[in-house]
Amino acid sequence: MTLSIETPALLFSATSLILLAYTNRFLTIAQIIRNLKKNYDDNHNKSILLEIKNLNLRLTLIRYMQLFGVMCLFLSVFAMLLLYVNKENLGIYLFGASLLCLLISLGISFWEISISVNALRVHLKDLSEESKEED
């Protein structure tokens, strides 16, 4: 099997965009947590604590998503360097490792999105129960 130096370079744009999306998720969740914390300080509502706990798990997952995304980029660059200095076999293995890191990052991303969707469904369920009580 041969691997040209351009192949690992293909991960650059994809990984950069994924890392940007992960950072945006992180910033959004951080802002929500700040608002919920302020709301909790005012109301001491137990459901707010549960939401913050859920969001804290999501922040942890995003941190790991970012970690594996950065490792993907690092290993891809290192694979390119090895290919440049004619160490093709080692470059191929490192490129494979970078792809594995990307898969792990995307898998964790799917997990985080699932948690988010479930939390939104809980909110929607509360709304539908309130509308039934009003009828």
Side-chain angles (χ1 to χ4, degrees):
M1 177 180 171
T2 61
L3 183 67
S4 70
I5 199 165
E6 292 87 11
T7 305
L10 293 173
L11 285 182
F12 274 61
S13 60
T15 306
S16 298
L17 290 174
I18 287 171
L19 290 174
L20 181 62
Y22 292 168
T23 301
N24 287 339
R25 280 188 197 173
F26 176 84
L27 293 174
T28 301
I29 291 173
Q31 186 60 42
I32 293 169
I33 288 174
R34 286 185 189 98
N35 292 337
L36 285 174
K37 168 73 167 79
K38 183 179 177 191
N39 194 351
Y40 178 76
D41 288 343
D42 295 340
N43 300 328
H44 294 290
N45 187 337
K46 187 177 179 180
S47 67
I48 294 173
L49 281 179
L50 293 174
E51 284 187 59
I52 291 173
K53 184 178 177 184
N54 178 295
L55 292 169
N56 190 37
L57 172 61
R58 289 179 59 199
L59 283 178
T60 301
L61 292 175
I62 290 171
R63 185 180 67 213
Y64 285 112
M65 289 160 37
Q66 289 174 324
L67 171 73
F68 282 102
V70 168
M71 284 181 60
C72 168
L73 194 57
F74 176 82
L75 291 172
S76 181
V77 170
F78 200 44
M80 287 175 58
L81 177 67
L82 289 171
L83 292 171
Y84 181 75
V85 296
N86 293 322
K87 301 286 185 188
E88 189 172 346
N89 285 337
L90 193 53
I92 288 171
Y93 288 118
L94 279 183
F95 181 63
S98 72
L99 292 176
L100 181 62
C101 286
L102 182 58
L103 281 173
I104 292 169
S105 178
L106 292 172
I108 296 170
S109 176
F110 181 76
W111 182 12
E112 189 267 334
I113 290 169
S114 307
I115 292 170
S116 175
V117 168
N118 289 335
L120 289 173
R121 285 190 176 140
V122 168
H123 281 290
L124 292 174
K125 182 179 175 188
D126 290 346
L127 285 175
S128 66
E129 289 174 0
E130 288 178 12
S131 67
K132 286 179 184 177
E133 291 174 5
E134 290 176 0
D135 292 338

